[in-house]
Amino acid sequence: MSTAFDAIKNEEEQLLCRSYSRYPLAIVKGKGSRLWDVDGKEYIDLLAGIAVTALGHANDEVTAAISKQAATLTHVSNLFYQKAQLRLAKLLCSTAHFTKVFFCNSGAEANEACIKLARRYMRKVLHKDAYEIITLEGCFHGRTYGSLAATGRANLQDGFEPFPAGFMQVPAHDIAALRAAISDKTAAVMMEAVQGEGGIKPLDHAYLQQVQALCKEKNVLLIMDEVQAGLCRTGKFWAFQHAGICPDIISTAKSLANGLPMGAMLTTDTIAQGFVAGSHATTFGGGELVAATAATVIEIMLRDNLAQRAQSLGSYVKAEVQAIASRVPGQIKEVRGLGLMLGIELTAPGKAVWLELLRRGIICNLSHDVTLRLLPPLTIDKADLDTFLSTLEAVLRDNAALLLPAAK
Ligand SMILES: *Cc1c(COP(=O)(O)O)cnc(C)c1O
């Protein structure tokens, strides 16, 4: 270990609250799909800041947009009309059936807005005392009290009780369980088309269509959390579009401003009646700097057809990983996901494999101990994916031959 890295690690342990377990890396620079650590070592980044820098690190056009807007106006608050918000709202609405947007700063806040709108729409527009939000086991919707109540994982909730009431969970792909859970008190059903933190688990399109039909039948809202899977990552602009459904409300964040904190809730004119002036607000949400940046990001995504790019590169990687699985048998259980949102589930705990990939200059995430999770920039060169594939094959061969050093 380098002294530069150790110095940073030690200082961090004294200065920051202990709430993260970090990778053994201090990153100082990025460009495209490459990152450099404090010792000058170069990495191929297949994580993109957890699905955030979809256009790559230090993207020239995004940097220019940030610089230009920063030099003009950064923030005035939502007391004022702001042109950048309109530019961004029009772009977002052009991607689907949505006609109304609310801006915020993160995925959790976007989900809070979804939950608050759903409840208030039921009370104030439909005059129905319905407030329950039904989510799926294995989901992840954020770390604020509402979004964490929706997430409902004992290990994340431990020590933080009590949580707000009115949240319940059902197993995924069990339409009967969802039907049984819906009552007069149900305001909305909320899910991710591809569970991200849950280990890259796509929901069947037929199931999503059944969920939509059930929501319509029972007059409850359908909320899709597109925070991770949205914005071209899965091969469509929004992940729900694979199933051909039309959710009432969606949340987005992660890639929205390519690394600046930014979230949004999208809905229709009808549902948006649930909010009136003063119902919900944020100081920073949709400020000029982030809104102008996000508008540039969406323009680039649409102009360069990054959904299509994610689709074709994703299919390529999936097929190649399947080929590796047959050449190096007994190592890979399955590869799943859509577009450039991929999970490679190993047959055994994968800490040693993940760490060896890191040592050989490949950054990815290890999810639930067994799944290598890939969320690369959508602009990544095919050559970088090929380097990953050949490195993965070599590492898995060494792992099969028990040649990898034991993971700490
Ligand atoms: C990351 C994530 C969130 C939370 O977003 P934050 O910006 O961390 O608050 C919510 N939902 C999904 C699906 C996510 O992947």
Side-chain angles (χ1 to χ4, degrees), residues 52-53 62 65-66 105 253-263 288-294:
V52 168
T53 49
V62 176
I66 293 172
N105 315 288
K254 290 197 161 86
S255 301
L256 188 49
N258 206 54
L260 299 189
M262 176 72 175
E288 286 284 281
L289 180 65
V290 287
T293 306

Side-chain angles (χ1 to χ4, degrees), residues 194-215:
V194 183
Q195 291 187 336
E197 301 303 306
I200 313 290
K201 305 249 175 84
L203 296 181
D204 290 347
H205 299 158
Y207 172 69
L208 283 170
Q209 288 158 12
Q210 288 170 339
V211 169
Q212 169 168 273
L214 183 57
C215 287

Side-chain angles (χ1 to χ4, degrees), residues 50 105-111 140-144 147 192 194-197 225-229 251 253-254 262 341 373:
I50 320 183
N105 315 288
S106 68
E109 279 176 86
N111 285 331
F140 181 83
H141 298 298
R143 300 281 198 148
T144 55
S147 64
E192 304 152 83
V194 183
Q195 291 187 336
E197 301 303 306
D225 177 342
E226 291 273 342
V227 170
Q228 188 164 150
S251 54
K254 290 197 161 86
M262 176 72 175
M341 183 170 185
R373 174 168 164 235

